[in-house]
Amino acid sequence: MNLDKRDRLVLFTLLSVAVLFTILFYLDINRKIGIGDREVVGTIFFKNNIVQRKFEDEVIWEKLENNSSLTNKDTIRSEAFSDALIRLKDGTEINIDENSMFNLDLTGEEPNLEFTQGSLEVKKNDSQKSQLKITSSGSEINVDSGNVKIERSKERELSLFVEKGKTTVKQKDGKSVAVDEGKKAEFKKTGIEIKKIPVVLLAPSSQKLFYAEPDDVSVHFQWKVESGYEDPILEISRSPNFQMTFINEKVEGTQADFRLKEGTFYWRLKVKNKTGNGSEFSEINKFFVTQLESFHGESPEQGTVIPFVQTYPLVTLTWTKLSTANSYKLIVSNSPKLTNPIKQLETTANQISYDDFKEGIYYWKVIGKSAFPDTKDRESQTLSFTVKKQNNVPAPKWLRPSPNSEISADEIKQNQAILIWDGNAELKSYQLKISKDSKMANIVFSEETASNFLVPNWSQLGKGTFYATIIGKSKEGKETETSALLSFAVVDKKKIPEPEVDPNENKPAQKLEPKLEMMSPNGTVVQMKGKSSLEFQWKVTGVTGERYDLVLYQHTGDKKTAIYKITTKESKHTLKDLSILDEGSFSWDLSVYKDSSLLLSRKGSFILALDQFKSLKPSDIEFISPKRLYKEKR
């Protein structure tokens, strides 16, 4: 079919409009929505898997992160195998189960929670006089105080369990009925039926966390059967609707023990009514079994000596993250037993910096505050470090590259070939020298810089083996001793080491250990001038992950702020929204998950610049490694 000029113009216009609106739709659905001037009413302290929020005036759902702020009239929903703990400003706690959804409206004197589906547990602060009104499909529940649990699925009507406190329900005809402690209300088409809870679940409590030792753990179940009921059957399932139960056993007495592997579990008891042929159920409690994560202080390492001459040094304390903690308490003392602490701080971050440590020996530990009720907090071992006054500033220490390592042409091309050393706030500048001989007689590169990193002119140096030294210079012009001699080679391509082979089997001698390598950007200055995106790349060996969580942080002074998070199944990600970035220092955390379990996590660091080195101040520079954090501060 031949089209004339006018038809072709119309077709081209329609295609252009279609492409334009497709792009606009994609940008709108992927944009990150800010809170703006919305009223903050609470915080999500713990999240597993995916929980989403939709603002009142938006149609886009966005993923919530741990410690995200909630605003008034937010709609919250959770996906499969998800859970979250919300704490409102008045102290009310709301535990969200998987596949749940509700809207929170705290306008006026009567807070309202509009419940759509799933399961919620509400713990009302007894000191607050105001009620919390929960509405669902025309029914109204008023919680004065105590703990209540609400369940609703597509197959079942709304059920209310009053574990503690005082609650009233209002029927569609306007009549109010009190539901006392230890009773449940079932909302049926014929009206509200109030019964005594047939079985009281005593242990494990709702939301309790158990640690596998190391593959499984013995969980103790305890309950109380009310009079009039008999023949209890214990049911344990992976889902809250109990479509698939892997434990369904008749139990004797009031307790039983089962060994369970890692996972999220729901449990209940089914009993027979002595006066009839029907069966009734207890409420449903949820608990978790997880591997015991390593938790320890990272920096300063045990016995570290931090020298200074005149200015007290910047000491950065870092520790590992815990997925089961919602905050950390740092304790620093002059005593090995940590009596009379000189520093105590509770924070959601896993690092903090101080610049007022005087000369002496310090002891420190961190307590990971559990996000789960009835679960003990985790404590790190007590570590010590020494702040020592010296007559001279010590010589700079090399951090990167490693001694006798190779720098490839690809690393140079990707701007990852950067020389880094331990910065010192008492030094004004550093003199870097590179030579082709170990005696430093043939200097091929020399430059003075105020920063603790530098990218030489690699094209000028060419290929071969090189040697480098650094000398620091104080504000008074006094020089430090020369650093240790660093040897490295510039090559076209790095040699790939061959795996060790068992001569008897002609196979690798051992299985590859799980490894996560942060490829880029990591330990480099990223020149953003003329770029429209930022590429993140990583490599995983020895394990197969189902998903990757990437969190990007910007560092301003001693503060670390999360500005971006993405979940992907690829081993790379392209950040196209550059409006969230600014010049300065950044770090990014990457976590590998499989079957909702954390397998590996690593962190990388980089610097963004529009015109390399020209606009960066020494106070902007911060490099983070898994072991230590180094910072130069003026």
Side-chain angles (χ1 to χ4, degrees), residues 351-365:
Q351 65 176 42
I352 188 69
S353 298
Y354 293 101
D355 60 2
D356 58 351
F357 282 122
K358 300 178 181 179
E359 187 174 19
I361 301 176
Y362 296 90
Y363 302 86
W364 69 285
K365 75 174 181 180

Side-chain angles (χ1 to χ4, degrees), residues 222-453:
Q222 191 173 358
W223 58 89
K224 177 185 177 184
V225 179
E226 298 294 336
S227 60
Y229 299 93
E230 60 185 4
D231 298 333
I233 296 176
L234 178 65
E235 297 182 351
I236 304 176
S237 175
R238 291 276 192 175
S239 62
N241 55 19
F242 286 79
Q243 288 181 343
M244 295 181 63
T245 57
F246 65 94
I247 292 181
N248 190 331
E249 293 189 15
K250 187 174 181 179
V251 288
E252 301 291 340
T254 59
Q255 54 188 349
D257 294 275
F258 292 92
R259 298 201 69 86
L260 299 172
K261 296 183 181 293
E262 188 174 9
T264 300
F265 299 92
Y266 301 84
W267 74 289
R268 68 184 181 186
L269 265 84
K270 181 170 69 173
V271 290
K272 288 184 179 180
N273 194 327
K274 290 182 178 180
T275 61
N277 297 322
S279 297
E280 294 194 30
F281 293 93
S282 70
E283 62 177 315
I284 299 171
N285 270 3
K286 179 180 182 179
F287 64 93
F288 310 89
V289 177
T290 186
Q291 295 289 334
L292 186 66
E293 298 174 273
S294 174
F295 183 55
H296 58 272
E298 290 185 325
S299 174
E301 295 177 346
Q302 173 63 25
T304 298
V305 177
I306 304 173
F308 75 97
V309 177
Q310 293 180 336
T311 306
Y312 292 139
L314 181 71
V315 179
T316 300
L317 303 165
T318 66
W319 52 91
T320 53
K321 289 183 178 180
L322 276 179
S323 61
T324 58
N326 57 29
S327 65
Y328 305 94
K329 183 179 180 180
L330 171 69
I331 303 175
V332 184
S333 174
N334 297 117
S335 166
K337 295 183 179 180
L338 299 177
T339 55
N340 301 320
I342 60 172
K343 303 281 187 187
Q344 285 195 85
L345 175 77
E346 190 156 335
T347 177
T348 58
N350 68 321
Q351 65 176 42
I352 188 69
S353 298
Y354 293 101
D355 60 2
D356 58 351
F357 282 122
K358 300 178 181 179
E359 187 174 19
I361 301 176
Y362 296 90
Y363 302 86
W364 69 285
K365 75 174 181 180
V366 182
I367 301 173
K369 309 291 285 186
S370 177
F372 298 86
D374 300 325
T375 303
K376 290 183 179 180
D377 297 336
R378 297 282 307 281
E379 289 191 16
S380 70
Q381 289 185 331
T382 300
L383 300 177
S384 68
F385 64 92
T386 302
V387 176
K388 187 174 183 180
K389 183 176 176 61
Q390 296 185 343
N391 295 325
N392 299 306
V393 178
K397 294 181 180 179
W398 286 106
L399 302 180
R400 179 171 174 170
S402 302
N404 303 314
S405 61
E406 293 180 334
I407 297 174
S408 67
D410 284 341
E411 289 175 312
I412 294 174
K413 186 177 180 180
Q414 295 175 14
N415 210 10
Q416 294 181 0
I418 180 171
L419 304 181
I420 309 171
W421 54 92
D422 194 354
N424 192 307
E426 296 190 89
L427 295 178
K428 180 182 179 181
S429 62
Y430 306 89
Q431 182 69 47
L432 170 69
K433 293 182 179 181
I434 300 177
S435 174
K436 285 192 172 183
D437 65 281
S438 59
K439 295 183 179 180
M440 302 299 292
N442 183 16
I443 303 297
V444 293
F445 181 87
S446 179
E447 186 169 328
E448 187 170 345
T449 176
S451 302
N452 64 322
F453 67 95

